[in-house]
Amino acid sequence: MYYYVIITFPSGGCSEITSDAAEVVVEPGITVDFPRAVEIICEGGSASAMNVTYTGGTGTPSYQWYENTTNSNSGGTIISGATSASYTPPVYTATGLYYYYVEVSLDGNGCGAVNSDVYEVEVVADPVIDTQALFTQELCQGSTPVDFEIVTSGGVGMTYTYQWYENTTNSNTGGTIIPGETTAIYTPPTTTIGIMYYYVEVSQIASGCSVVSDTSE
């Protein structure tokens, strides 16, 4: 809207005076966009960055992120240093539900602070191997082995990725990847005399969701 004032003089023959126009721009209030859907990850994983956007208001924005123990966008605890439009929580070391929201403020005249809706992260336990592969088998060279097979459950969803490893020591770390062996079942070779150890790493697409089997000799 534009405003101006006319000044008139009741006597003396003076002409009226009209001021210049004064402009007043009234913007809509701040509207914070909806947060992303609930993100589910595993213990030891990291949530993806939480990004906030807004419309309306005027002036330079400022941000303050909060964490909460309940699904509420008030009464939370300030997260020190979390003062940008994006926040990435640290690695989660315990299962549970975690809640976050952000307060968006603009320094324009009359623009009050607005809290976003709640960003939720659900942290679940890692997948588990319910049935380990055969612990040990002793075979003659060139004979038919028993397949190593595992059964997995838990984590996020029911889709698992497998990678088998072989090792020269009885350890389920530091082994060598067996190319192409990416299912729950592995048939060990018996062409070479000696002792070999095998294990499989099971993972999921969600952050932190993985488990390693025991070794099979």
Side-chain angles (χ1 to χ4, degrees), residues 148 164-166 178 186 188-189 196-200 214-216:
F148 292 138
W164 286 88
Y165 293 78
E166 60 183 1
I178 305 174
Y186 173 61
M196 188 63 73
Y197 302 91
Y198 302 90
Y199 64 92
V200 61
D214 296 338
T215 55
S216 295

Side-chain angles (χ1 to χ4, degrees), residues 95-121:
T95 60
L97 296 173
Y98 297 82
Y99 305 100
Y100 306 88
Y101 63 92
V102 58
E103 180 185 74
V104 182
S105 304
L106 295 174
D107 61 5
N109 188 17
C111 295
V114 174
N115 289 351
S116 71
D117 288 338
V118 173
Y119 295 73
E120 182 178 348
V121 177

Side-chain angles (χ1 to χ4, degrees), residues 40-197:
I40 306 175
I41 63 173
C42 286
E43 185 177 359
S46 300
S48 55
M50 302 172 187
N51 301 303
V52 65
T53 57
Y54 71 91
T55 56
T58 183
T60 303
S62 60
Y63 306 91
Q64 178 58 64
W65 287 87
Y66 294 78
E67 58 185 351
N68 214 347
T69 56
T70 60
N71 189 2
S72 173
N73 68 345
S74 64
T77 302
I78 286 178
I79 303 173
S80 179
T83 55
S84 70
S86 179
Y87 173 66
T88 303
V91 172
Y92 293 92
T93 58
T95 60
L97 296 173
Y98 297 82
Y99 305 100
Y100 306 88
Y101 63 92
V102 58
E103 180 185 74
V104 182
S105 304
L106 295 174
D107 61 5
N109 188 17
C111 295
V114 174
N115 289 351
S116 71
D117 288 338
V118 173
Y119 295 73
E120 182 178 348
V121 177
E122 181 180 357
V123 182
V124 301
D126 286 325
V128 295
I129 297 176
D130 300 308
T131 303
Q132 296 281 350
L134 182 67
F135 174 68
T136 185
Q137 54 182 310
E138 187 172 358
L139 304 154
C140 287
Q141 186 178 20
S143 62
T144 301
V146 176
D147 289 341
F148 292 138
E149 182 175 3
I150 63 166
V151 178
T152 309
S153 66
V156 179
M158 298 297 295
T159 301
Y160 304 97
T161 298
Y162 304 89
Q163 179 58 65
W164 286 88
Y165 293 78
E166 60 183 1
N167 212 349
T168 55
T169 60
N170 189 7
S171 173
N172 64 353
T173 62
T176 302
I177 286 178
I178 305 174
E181 297 300 333
T182 55
T183 70
I185 301 174
Y186 173 61
T187 304
T190 60
T191 54
T192 302
I193 295 173
I195 299 174
M196 188 63 73
Y197 302 91

